[in-house]
């Protein structure tokens, strides 16, 4: 039995090279060509055909202007990639040599020294083949021929007697968003999109390692580490943990063995805002005859996670318990950070998760129309306490259910669940995004003129994949504490009454239905896993993908960077309701961000006030795959829109929120901390020039993990004041909130005299003589301001940190756009 501290020291210090070795083939000199063309060009591996064409100056920047439209021919061609690599006599002496492709996109034939050795049909799978008999000493030739995924999809579609929604994309196991989405362009890629290597091994190899929590309480954690080992021949082996050997008699072929570990006084893994996301590091080695064969390192977090669905007076609850505590989930949906995935570095994923953490999030949903992210994303979530809602990669359509397709998807599930299941951040596995809702609510049966037999077949195929194969496969791969499965998100469409009383809901009445933002206060579900409103990116972002003359509402380049058919119309309609619509283009971009932030503030705070009825709010969407007008709070380059600053405030563990309910203004204090708080609630009505018109205070306390209405102001008490030029300032201990009684367009704003004083190179103090609404600070060199788009009260002094020193700071406030 090991003590926890001893474990840690042993594992960190113990590192010796293993006998199993690897040869990275990604770094060889690769070339590519269009099939049947003799001219070859330099290729980058990992990569895609689009990025290789661009790097060789054979196409213009796919993201710039309207270039996307000119580049659709690429998806219809077949492409060939090849390289030559040399092998030594010593390398060829290994008993086994595997060729491992981490990812091939998507339909590929692999040739080794002229012989076809592999056919692939799934971008999401890892492909491993034994190739020793195909290799030779000296120069070897590796060639990968990629067949058009679009043409392959169309060929498969023709085999059915009916048409499935979204046509060819559903037959192709590749990232669905690459076929175009209402926030993304159409770039159907091909290529060796993940690393490729040779693995040299002899007596045995570790195929996978996972762990199971047998017992977890305050005093002890009993774990089983489960190894799948392939042995070349039977014999005596041992797994070593530090200096402790665990001997095993392995048979030839595949073996499953368990290594039991006990940790005294275990430290739990907690999500962001509730505690430290503590991880333990384990290093194991597989040995035979005192010779090390292979090593594996595992980082794990000890925690329990449960999805609680219990009937109550209204419907059925839907919330997560972490380590036995109900946790309100605050976060967003994540899409792939680029259309060309090999361009996404580990640092991009780290930055994405860091920005989620900075905005006080504790959950991200990996949306089903993208990809299973690289390990770096999940490692960042583990380290930062961000739980992950993990979709399988299906979205917004119906899919085939033939034997070949189901078998392919099953292996995809096995590959990705085995890769990801050890991450403490993984909270739930979800079958798909909106397939169930689409089938029941989007009118496909009528649109595609399905017969009764067609409908029965399509729904049976759906059940075969999402109600049978996936959950059964999870049962075979996961221990009980890691096996939370939800077949489809949402469980009910947003037009149905039950969507607000049970399961999770995607509420799209405001965007798609053009309902006012205030409807968010009525349409509150048990767990709101999607909702959103668009905001435009900053001018600097658009300048990177458009010519100066195209920065206007009528240019084709500008229109091409909005993929929703009525996107600009919907933004404008909501803007007219809530703001004075600016005529200046740059002012319009700024106000569109304020509009987005205002709508999302109303939604998030309504969800949080409704705790514990509602226990989750995941907005659509955190990020972008290219520079575009979309629902994101972070633009393609990682810049914070006004909404991300607002999300940071609205997701604080302690939230003061004022609701306009009937004849009262109700003040809510929402507490996501597990402990209670007491203090003074202070309310003050201020004129825009800083005069105190009315005030009151009282001592209050708020329980841990709760939402409470802590004070009410009858509207009649404030009738004597001009509420178009007053603000209610609310404070409790160190937290503050400002409440405005009318929409921004109805505020009687005065011109503020905003003063900025430099405290040091990267710290400023900002103040104003009268209310400055939505102060926007900007400067050269992509400087990040830790606070922005904020309301500055008269005589308030706000200290703001900058990411780097600047020469000049530009200041804008809402008043400047209302002239």
């Amino acid at each position: 039995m090991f003590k926890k501290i001893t474990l840690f020291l042993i594992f960190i210090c113990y590192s010796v090279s293993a006998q199993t070795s690897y040869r990275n083939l990604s770094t060889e000199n690769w070339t590519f060509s269009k099939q049947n063309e003799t001219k070859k060009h330099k290729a980058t591996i990992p990569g895609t055909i689009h990025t290789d064409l661009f790097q060789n100056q054979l196409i213009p920047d796919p993201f710039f202007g309207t270039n996307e439209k000119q580049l659709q021919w690429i998806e219809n061609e077949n492409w060939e990639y090849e390289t030559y690599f040399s092998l030594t006599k010593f390398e060829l002496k290994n008993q086994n040599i595997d060729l491992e492709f981490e990812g091939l996109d998507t339909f590929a034939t692999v040739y080794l020294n002229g012989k076809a050795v592999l056919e692939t049909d799934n971008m999401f799978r890892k492909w491993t083949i034994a190739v020793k008999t195909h290799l030779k000493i000296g120069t070897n030739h590796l060639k990968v021929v990629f067949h058009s995924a679009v043409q392959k999809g169309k060929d498969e579609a023709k085999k059915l007697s009916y048409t499935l929604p979204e046509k060819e994309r559903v037959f192709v196991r590749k990232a669905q968003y690459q076929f175009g989405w209402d926030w993304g362009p159409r770039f159907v890629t091909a290529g060796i999109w993940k690393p490729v290597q040779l693995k040299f091994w002899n007596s045995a190899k570790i195929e996978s390692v996972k762990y199971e929590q047998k017992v977890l309480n305050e005093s002890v954690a009993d774990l089983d580490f489960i190894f799948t080992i392939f042995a070349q021949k039977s014999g005596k082996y041992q797994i070593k943990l530090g200096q402790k050997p665990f001997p095993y008699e392995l048979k030839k072929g595949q073996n499953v063995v368990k290594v039991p570990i006990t940790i005294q006084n275990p430290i739990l893994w907690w999500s962001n805002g509730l505690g430290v996301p503590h991880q333990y590091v384990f290093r194991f080695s597989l040995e035979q005859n005192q010779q090390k064969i292979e090593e594996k390192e595992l980082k794990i977090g000890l925690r329990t996670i449960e999805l609680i669905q219990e009937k109550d007076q209204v419907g059925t609850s839907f919330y997560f318990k972490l380590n036995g505590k109900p946790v309100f989930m605050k976060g967003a949906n994540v899409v792939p950070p680029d259309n060309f995935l090999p361009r996404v570095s580990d640092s991009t994923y780290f930055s994405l998760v860091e920005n989620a953490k900075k905005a006080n999030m504790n959950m991200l949903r990996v949306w089903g129309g993208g990809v299973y992210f690289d390990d770096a994303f999940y490692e960042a979530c583990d380290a930062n306490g961000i739980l992950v809602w993990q979709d399988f990669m299906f979205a917004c359509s119906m899919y085939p259910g033939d034997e070949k397709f189901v078998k392919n998807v099953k292996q995809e599930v096995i590959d990705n669940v085995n890769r990801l299941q050890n991450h403490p951040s993984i909270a739930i596995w979800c079958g798909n995004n909106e397939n169930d809702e689409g089938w029941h609510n989007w009118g496909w049966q009528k649109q595609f003129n399905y017969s009764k037999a067609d409908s029965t077949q399509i729904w049976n195929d759906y059940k075969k994949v999402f109600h049978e194969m996936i959950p059964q496969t999870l049962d075979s791969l996961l221990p009980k504490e890691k096996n939370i499965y939800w077949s489809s998100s949402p469980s009910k469409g947003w037009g149905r009454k039950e969507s607000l009383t049970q399961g999770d809901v995607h509420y799209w009445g405001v965007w798609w239905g053009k309902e006012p933002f205030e409807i968010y206060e009525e349409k509150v579900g048990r767990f709101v896993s999607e909702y959103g409103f668009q905001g435009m990116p900053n001018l600097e972002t658009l300048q990177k993908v458009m010519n100066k003359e195209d920065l206007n509402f009528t240019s084709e380049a500008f229109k091409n960077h909005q993929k929703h058919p009525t996107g600009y119309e919907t933004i404008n309609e909501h803007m007219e309701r809530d703001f004075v619509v600016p005529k200046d283009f740059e002012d319009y971009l700024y106000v569109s961000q304020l509009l987005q932030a205002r709508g999302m503030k109303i939604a998030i705070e309504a969800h949080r006030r409704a705790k514990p009825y509602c226990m989750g709010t995941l907005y659509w969407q955190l990020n972008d795959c290219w520079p575009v007008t979309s629902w994101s709070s972070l633009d393609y380059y990682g810049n914070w829109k006004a909404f991300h600053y607002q999300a940071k405030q609205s997701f604080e563990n302690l939230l003061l929120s004022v609701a306009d309910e009937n004849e009262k203004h109700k003040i809510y204090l929402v507490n996501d901390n597990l402990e209670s708080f007491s203090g003074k609630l202070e309310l003050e009505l201020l004129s825009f020039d800083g005069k105190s018109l009315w005030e009151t205070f009282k001592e209050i306390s708020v329980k841990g993990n709760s939402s409470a209405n802590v004070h009410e102001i009858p509207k009649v008490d404030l009738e004597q004041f001009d509420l178009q030029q007053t603000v209610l300032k609310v404070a409790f201990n160190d937290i503050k909130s400002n409440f405005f009684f009318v929409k921004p367009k109805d505020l009687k704003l005065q011109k503020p005299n905003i003063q900025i004083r430099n405290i040091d190179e990267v710290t400023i103090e900002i103040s104003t003589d009268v209310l400055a609404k939505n102060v926007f600070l900007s400067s050269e060199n992509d400087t990040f301001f830790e606070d922005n788009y904020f309301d500055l009260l008269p005589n308030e002094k706000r200290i703001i940190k900058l990411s780097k020193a600047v020469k000049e700071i530009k200041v804008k406030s809402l008043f400047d756009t209302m002239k």
Side-chain angles (χ1 to χ4, degrees):
M1 203 179 272
F2 289 93
K3 287 197 180 291
K4 174 182 72 249
I5 188 76
T6 316
L7 267 176
F8 188 74
L9 290 173
I10 288 173
F11 303 150
I12 291 303
C13 298
Y14 187 13
S15 178
V16 182
S17 63
Q19 195 180 32
T20 299
S21 61
Y22 294 88
R23 169 85 174 276
N24 184 4
L25 296 183
S26 307
T27 54
E28 301 291 337
N29 293 320
W30 285 84
T31 60
F32 78 95
S33 60
K34 191 155 75 167
Q35 196 171 41
N36 300 323
E37 285 191 0
T38 52
K39 182 145 191 204
K40 299 189 188 320
H41 307 276
K42 182 175 168 50
T44 301
I45 307 296
T48 72
I49 186 56
H50 292 77
T51 47
D52 282 331
L53 288 165
F54 178 50
Q55 283 164 4
N56 284 274
Q57 300 182 326
L58 298 170
I59 61 168
D61 182 350
F63 287 172
F64 197 87
T66 58
N67 289 345
E68 175 200 358
K69 295 174 183 177
Q70 303 160 30
L71 301 179
Q72 296 306 305
W73 61 272
I74 299 168
E75 68 182 38
N76 294 308
E77 301 292 338
N78 297 337
W79 300 91
E80 299 186 351
Y81 281 76
E82 59 187 316
T83 190
Y84 293 88
F85 62 94
S86 60
L87 277 184
T88 65
K89 184 178 179 182
F90 175 77
E91 286 173 316
L92 214 53
K93 274 187 175 175
N94 285 279
Q95 291 172 28
N96 304 281
I97 306 175
D98 293 344
L99 178 60
E100 296 184 341
F101 289 98
E102 296 287 336
L104 289 170
D105 177 13
T106 293
F107 293 93
T109 306
V110 178
Y111 297 89
L112 189 53
N113 292 326
K115 183 173 176 59
V117 294
L118 177 67
E119 294 277 348
T120 76
D121 57 359
N122 192 321
M123 175 184 181
F124 305 124
R125 285 174 57 181
K126 179 179 177 177
W127 302 91
T128 302
I129 41 166
V131 292
K132 177 165 176 170
T133 56
H134 303 296
L135 294 167
K136 59 187 180 181
I137 297 168
T139 303
N140 291 264
H141 180 223
L142 178 60
K143 179 175 167 182
V144 186
V145 178
F146 290 97
H147 315 283
S148 164
V150 170
Q151 296 304 326
K152 286 278 190 182
K154 286 177 178 175
D155 290 345
E156 287 299 314
K158 287 176 189 167
K159 294 177 183 176
L160 293 183
S161 59
Y162 46 81
T163 302
L164 289 178
E166 301 302 326
K167 299 173 183 166
E168 75 269 12
R169 80 160 164 86
V170 301
F171 297 91
V172 179
R173 289 313 298 145
K174 80 183 259 77
Q176 302 283 276
Y177 79 108
Q178 294 176 346
F179 292 81
W181 223 266
D182 56 8
W183 39 262
R186 182 178 174 112
F187 290 118
V188 185
T189 57
I192 304 170
W193 77 285
K194 286 191 171 187
V196 52
Q197 63 189 3
L198 287 173
K199 179 177 181 177
F200 304 94
W201 61 282
N202 292 290
S203 51
K205 64 176 177 177
I206 300 172
E207 292 185 332
S208 69
V209 189
K210 59 185 179 183
Y211 75 97
E212 188 174 343
Q213 289 174 181
K214 309 295 285 182
V215 176
L216 178 62
N217 54 45
E218 285 184 4
S219 57
V220 71
D222 284 336
L223 312 175
D224 276 346
F225 284 87
I226 303 161
F227 290 76
T228 302
I229 299 168
F230 190 93
Q232 186 69 18
K233 55 184 179 180
S234 60
K236 292 182 178 177
Y237 294 79
Q238 64 178 12
I239 293 171
K240 255 191 176 178
L241 172 59
Q243 294 304 309
K244 186 175 174 67
F246 296 85
Y248 296 95
E249 187 80 37
L250 299 184
K251 67 177 192 297
K252 183 179 178 181
Q254 196 177 73
N255 299 261
V256 177
V257 300
K258 291 183 179 180
V259 175
I261 301 295
T262 296
I263 301 174
Q264 303 289 354
N265 306 316
I267 303 170
L268 297 183
W269 185 94
W270 285 98
S271 59
N272 183 34
L274 291 184
V276 175
H278 182 82
Q279 293 182 84
Y280 289 90
V281 183
F282 295 84
R283 282 211 181 107
F284 297 94
S285 61
L286 174 64
E287 300 183 4
Q288 187 182 37
N289 301 327
Q290 297 185 322
Q291 209 179 20
K292 200 169 274 109
I293 296 169
E294 191 170 4
E295 280 188 315
K296 288 286 180 187
E297 179 181 285
L298 224 60
K299 267 188 176 179
I300 71 166
L302 301 176
R303 85 317 177 253
T304 60
I305 190 110
E306 303 161 83
L307 175 60
I308 308 298
Q309 296 184 81
E310 294 173 339
K311 290 203 179 303
D312 54 29
Q313 292 176 320
V314 189
T316 305
S317 68
F318 190 103
Y319 68 93
F320 292 91
K321 271 187 178 181
L322 178 65
N323 299 325
K325 306 290 184 185
V327 178
F328 190 103
M329 295 302 165
K330 301 173 287 194
N333 290 260
V334 195
V335 301
D338 204 305
N339 262 87
F340 309 115
L341 291 157
R343 298 203 296 204
V344 181
S345 64
D346 287 359
S347 62
T348 305
Y349 282 123
F350 294 153
S351 174
L352 203 59
V353 174
E354 188 73 19
N355 282 327
K357 183 184 181 182
K358 283 178 181 171
N360 299 304
M361 298 184 190
N362 60 12
M363 178 173 268
L364 292 173
R365 174 176 176 236
V366 178
W367 168 77
V371 293
Y372 308 94
F373 288 156
D374 290 353
D375 294 344
F377 171 80
Y378 302 94
E379 287 164 8
C381 289
D382 294 344
N384 288 286
I386 306 294
L387 287 158
V388 174
W389 174 306
Q390 179 66 52
D391 280 5
F392 290 101
M393 293 303 122
F394 301 87
C396 304
S397 191
M398 301 304 279
Y399 287 79
D402 59 275
E403 187 181 352
K404 184 184 174 190
F405 184 86
V406 175
K407 189 178 175 186
N408 191 0
V409 172
K410 179 173 183 173
Q411 194 55 52
E412 170 190 325
V413 171
I414 291 168
D415 284 3
N416 286 285
V417 171
N418 278 341
R419 178 170 69 92
L420 300 178
Q421 68 162 288
N422 293 321
H423 291 282
S425 53
I426 298 279
I428 184 172
W429 307 89
C430 178
N432 64 69
N433 173 77
E434 296 183 351
N435 297 10
D436 187 305
E437 174 178 0
W439 180 252
H440 289 104
N441 298 317
W442 294 357
W444 287 330
Q445 290 88 335
K446 189 176 177 184
Q447 180 186 344
F448 295 104
N449 197 27
Y450 292 143
S451 66
K452 189 176 180 184
D454 293 340
S455 292
T456 302
Q457 179 68 49
I458 293 166
W459 183 243
N460 284 342
D461 285 348
Y462 175 90
K463 288 194 295 186
K464 195 186 299 178
V465 175
F466 300 106
H467 292 176
E468 295 166 23
M469 185 275 290
I470 292 180
Q472 286 166 9
T473 305
L474 291 178
D475 288 345
S476 73
L477 296 173
L478 295 170
K480 192 177 176 187
E481 82 271 3
K482 293 181 190 173
N483 193 0
I484 298 173
Y485 177 68
W486 190 237
S487 63
S488 185
S489 177
S491 48
K492 294 280 187 294
W494 58 266
R496 294 171 181 258
K497 191 178 114 183
E498 314 93 286
S499 70
L500 300 178
T501 62
Q502 63 187 59
D504 69 321
V505 60
H506 296 183
Y507 189 75
W508 283 107
V510 169
W511 179 262
W512 285 96
K514 293 188 177 176
E515 297 168 338
F517 289 144
E518 289 71 24
I519 201 76
Y520 280 131
E521 298 180 314
E522 298 172 30
K523 305 288 188 178
V524 176
R526 310 309 295 259
F527 193 106
V528 192
S529 47
E530 268 193 35
Y531 60 95
F533 196 86
Q534 285 195 352
M536 297 177 182
N538 287 339
L539 183 65
E540 291 75 15
T541 290
L542 294 178
Q543 284 171 332
K544 290 175 181 173
V545 289
M546 289 178 211
N547 292 316
K548 191 175 181 181
E549 60 270 22
D550 287 329
L551 293 167
N552 60 70
F553 295 107
T554 58
S555 81
E556 288 305 308
F558 185 71
K559 289 175 185 173
N560 193 52
H561 287 76
Q562 161 65 276
K563 290 303 181 184
H564 191 278
T566 60
Y568 289 136
E569 173 195 315
T570 304
I571 290 171
N572 207 66
E573 192 170 316
H574 278 83
M575 196 183 287
E576 285 175 344
R577 292 176 189 170
D578 286 9
F579 287 83
V580 174
V581 180
K583 292 188 172 54
D584 176 78
F585 182 74
E586 195 171 347
D587 284 349
Y588 195 99
L589 299 180
Y590 159 73
V591 173
S592 86
Q593 290 200 22
L594 301 184
L595 177 71
Q596 180 190 31
R598 170 176 161 77
M600 296 299 89
K601 176 183 193 289
I602 291 169
I604 291 169
E605 296 191 6
H607 299 158
R608 293 194 64 194
R609 289 196 301 266
K611 177 179 180 172
Y613 178 84
C614 175
M615 284 296 284
T617 180
L618 308 178
Y619 65 77
W620 184 268
Q621 65 205 72
L622 181 66
N623 63 318
D624 282 323
C625 67
W626 75 316
V628 66
T629 294
S630 82
W631 297 263
S632 69
S633 62
L634 300 168
D635 75 16
Y636 171 72
Y637 300 105
N639 300 310
W640 290 31
K641 294 186 190 175
F643 172 27
H644 205 78
Y645 287 97
Q646 181 59 59
K648 180 183 178 185
Q649 291 175 39
S650 295
F651 283 155
E652 286 278 6
N653 261 16
L654 267 179
L655 173 73
L656 279 168
S657 180
V658 182
D660 187 343
E661 296 180 17
N662 301 320
E663 295 308 308
K664 294 175 180 177
H665 299 294
K666 295 184 179 180
I667 290 85
Y668 286 82
L669 185 52
V670 183
N671 181 16
D672 283 349
N673 298 287
L674 299 179
E675 66 269 25
S676 303
F677 289 93
S678 298
K680 186 190 286 187
L681 178 71
E682 300 174 85
L683 307 173
E684 185 178 19
L685 195 67
L686 288 174
S687 64
F688 287 173
D689 59 4
K691 293 190 184 71
S692 181
L693 307 173
W694 173 95
E695 62 183 324
T696 186
F697 66 89
K698 69 178 188 181
E699 294 294 326
I700 62 166
S701 60
V702 60
K703 290 178 182 174
N705 219 357
S706 72
S707 169
N709 172 202
V710 291
H711 191 74
E712 297 178 355
I713 307 170
K715 289 183 179 177
V716 68
D717 289 4
L718 305 179
E719 278 180 351
Q720 57 187 301
F721 306 110
D722 182 355
L723 298 183
Q724 287 181 287
Q725 51 185 340
T726 55
V727 56
L728 180 65
K729 184 177 159 189
V730 187
F732 172 73
N733 295 349
D734 294 333
I735 61 167
K736 295 173 183 172
S737 180
N738 299 320
F739 177 76
F740 294 90
F741 297 90
V742 296
K743 293 181 173 184
K745 70 177 182 181
D746 297 322
L747 294 171
K748 294 178 182 174
L749 296 176
Q750 305 163 47
K751 181 176 175 61
N753 177 21
I754 299 171
Q755 300 290 320
I756 294 178
R757 182 173 73 84
N758 291 321
I759 294 176
D760 57 40
E761 273 197 328
V762 292
T763 314
I764 59 170
E765 178 190 85
I766 185 166
S767 59
T768 179
D769 57 340
V770 299
L771 170 74
K773 187 98 180 71
N774 302 119
V775 175
F776 171 45
L777 306 172
S778 61
S779 77
E780 79 287 350
N781 303 333
D782 296 326
T783 306
F784 174 72
F785 295 83
E786 71 170 2
D787 200 1
N788 218 336
Y789 302 94
F790 51 83
D791 298 330
L792 191 63
L793 299 180
N795 308 315
E796 176 188 359
K797 288 180 178 171
R798 192 174 288 226
I799 307 293
I800 294 173
K801 290 274 185 194
L802 286 63
S803 60
K804 52 190 162 187
V806 296
K807 291 176 187 170
E808 183 190 3
I809 294 176
K810 292 188 212 161
V811 187
K812 181 183 286 194
S813 74
L814 187 61
F815 177 85
D816 301 322
T817 71
M818 297 172 75
K819 301 164 196 167

